[in-house]
Amino acid sequence: MLFSAFASSAQQAEQTLIPQIRKDSIFIVRDQWGVPHIYAPTDEETVYGFMWATCEDDFKTMQETLLLTKGMNGRLNGADGAVTDYVVQLLDIQNTVKQKYNETFSAKFKLILQASVNAINEYARLHPDEVIVKKAFPITVYDIVQGYVLGTTFLSSISESLTRIF
């Protein structure tokens, strides 16, 4: 099996909301240009379908982004990737997200995040030949949120400030 343990007991305790995903009720219909249109009865199932289609379309890029947010870019890109790993550690994004997660997001949004994670992890499990860094999986809701936080820091020109500091 690709994953030795799906989630630690601490992660399971923090992620008590489990979306009900009925895969047989999710329809991914691609138009003439290959654009996926997702039809499902619930928001969580729609998000699951959307993330599945996203994995089908460009799982490699999705993983590259996840490696950045998990501080594992060096495993793929060597010393150059380790520079961004250092920045992620310096900004302490992982701890901040874990500390603020429960108080920041509504139960509904947590279900949607978990549906995203479930789709990505299931895709990785069923397509192990497409996984570029095995230790990056399984992902958690924290990894998704960390990606948004990291992206926001780069949008706010943090790289310019760090360059001046160093």
Side-chain angles (χ1 to χ4, degrees), residues 26-156:
I26 302 169
F27 297 94
I28 301 171
V29 179
R30 292 187 181 267
D31 63 23
Q32 63 194 20
W33 298 282
V35 176
H37 299 268
I38 316 303
Y39 301 95
T42 68
D43 293 339
E44 294 82 14
E45 290 165 333
T46 303
V47 167
Y48 186 99
F50 175 73
M51 293 310 293
W52 187 271
T54 302
C55 289
E56 288 178 335
D57 290 345
D58 196 0
F59 193 48
K60 183 178 184 283
T61 299
M62 179 185 287
Q63 290 177 82
E64 289 169 349
T65 303
L66 284 166
L67 291 172
L68 284 168
T69 63
K70 290 175 79 96
M72 299 175 74
N73 194 26
R75 293 178 187 230
L76 180 64
N77 295 306
D80 290 340
V83 171
T84 55
D85 293 346
Y86 176 76
V87 170
V88 168
Q89 292 299 317
L90 179 71
L91 297 174
D92 201 27
I93 292 171
Q94 293 173 342
N95 287 328
T96 302
V97 167
K98 284 183 180 179
Q99 289 172 0
K100 300 290 185 183
Y101 180 81
N102 282 325
E103 67 189 55
T104 302
F105 301 116
S106 69
K108 177 70 172 177
F109 191 69
K110 289 176 188 175
L111 285 170
I112 288 172
L113 286 170
Q114 190 62 53
S116 298
V117 166
N118 291 356
I120 296 166
N121 283 333
E122 181 71 3
Y123 187 90
R125 188 181 68 76
L126 294 174
H127 300 89
D129 55 313
E130 294 182 43
V131 174
I132 54 180
V133 175
K134 306 288 187 214
K135 291 190 179 214
F137 289 91
I139 66 165
T140 69
V141 291
Y142 303 124
D143 297 323
I144 301 289
V145 176
Q146 286 164 202
Y148 285 103
V149 173
L150 183 63
T152 303
T153 61
F154 285 118
L155 285 173
S156 65

